[in-house]
Amino acid sequence: MIKMQTKARWTGVVLGVAMGIAAGAAQAQSASETLQKIESSGVISIGHRESSIPFSYYDNNHNVIGYSQDLCNKVVDAVKTKLKKPDLQVRFIPVTSQNRIALVQNGTVDIECGVTTNLKARQAQVNFSDTFFVAGTRLLVNKNSGIKDFPDLAGKAVVTNAGTTSERILNKMNNDKKMNMSVIAGKDYGESFIMLQGGRVQGFMMDDVLLAGARTMGRNPDDWVVTGTPQSFEAYGFMMKHGDTEFKKLVDDTLASVMKSSEINTMYKKWFESPVPPKNTNFNFPMSEQLKQLYANPNDHAFE
């Protein structure tokens, strides 16, 4: 009888140890890979754009500023609090439309805070935060060009940024409607707008708010107008490593807290309804009802 009790106690100890190991392994698997990486390195790497006014771009002192960056700074503060690392270093890494997903996937960038559209197809590659902006894809043209909408581009050259939703839409439109357009892919907003200003192309397709930002960089901003029927609506989100649900939750909770407070209105007015660097141009881009509803009920739903 004593032997049986001893054996039972030993079995219980073994089972307890096994369960403890299993629980520890499960906890390790559920812990955020991104937060562990940031904690061990003492650095958080932020992916940003170089000329996506007013979301993410360089000011005259080569500092990264913009609406996306202001929101991203809130996330950085939340990470510092979570990890109890007030002295956490921030590393800024410029990204483009072509390399942004790869740099998130390989861990070079911990969070991409630019102007990336949340697409269902991309959700298999990366995690997206709750949407922080909604834009429509339209055209930037010279006010004297005679171009009012997309059909007017037939037989003409048009530019958009490489690797974007607009590039895919333009190519499909060209094939489906036999428009004989010359579709050119620019590296970024600055390069695409230079092509338009130089007369190499007659139109620049991109998200309306970004086109409004690009025109502020022109020698004569009033020469350029945003026009055309929106061909799609873009839900912007921050990108993170796929499958890291804990880090995504921290980011989403941080953004939702800002969006549901009056702070988002102050932040929005700063970048879209007030003069912004580098030329102190006012976008005069009021918050849409669609965006107001989104901020009241944050979500990470892709439009397509």
Side-chain angles (χ1 to χ4, degrees), residues 186-210:
K187 181 187 75 172
D188 56 24
Y189 305 93
E191 182 177 88
S192 295
F193 188 41
I194 286 173
M195 291 186 199
L196 180 65
Q197 289 185 101
R200 183 179 170 188
V201 299
Q202 287 70 58
F204 175 14
M205 180 184 180
M206 205 59 227
D207 304 351
D208 51 8
V209 66
L210 298 176

Side-chain angles (χ1 to χ4, degrees), residues 141-156:
V141 299
N142 188 287
K143 66 181 181 181
N144 298 318
S145 67
I147 298 172
K148 304 296 182 185
D149 212 337
F150 286 87
D152 299 326
L153 289 173
K156 296 181 173 65

Side-chain angles (χ1 to χ4, degrees), residues 49-64:
R49 304 305 289 265
E50 296 179 286
S51 58
S52 298
I53 303 171
F55 291 93
S56 177
Y57 65 106
Y58 288 129
D59 66 10
N60 290 331
N61 296 316
H62 215 65
N63 296 313
V64 182

Side-chain angles (χ1 to χ4, degrees), residues 90-110:
V90 181
R91 178 181 297 145
F92 291 99
I93 299 175
V95 302
T96 66
S97 299
Q98 299 100 310
N99 68 15
R100 56 190 169 180
I101 291 178
L103 292 178
V104 171
Q105 288 178 313
N106 66 24
T108 301
V109 166
D110 296 317

Side-chain angles (χ1 to χ4, degrees), residues 165-182:
T165 307
S166 292
E167 184 181 27
R168 175 174 55 82
I169 291 172
L170 273 177
N171 285 320
K172 186 175 187 303
M173 182 188 299
N174 208 19
N175 292 329
D176 292 350
K177 299 184 178 181
K178 312 299 180 187
M179 293 177 64
N180 195 33
M181 290 186 293
S182 175

Side-chain angles (χ1 to χ4, degrees), residues 9-30:
R9 283 197 297 271
W10 175 249
T11 301
V13 170
V14 172
L15 286 172
V17 171
M19 289 174 67
I21 293 173
Q27 184 176 5
Q29 289 175 356
S30 65

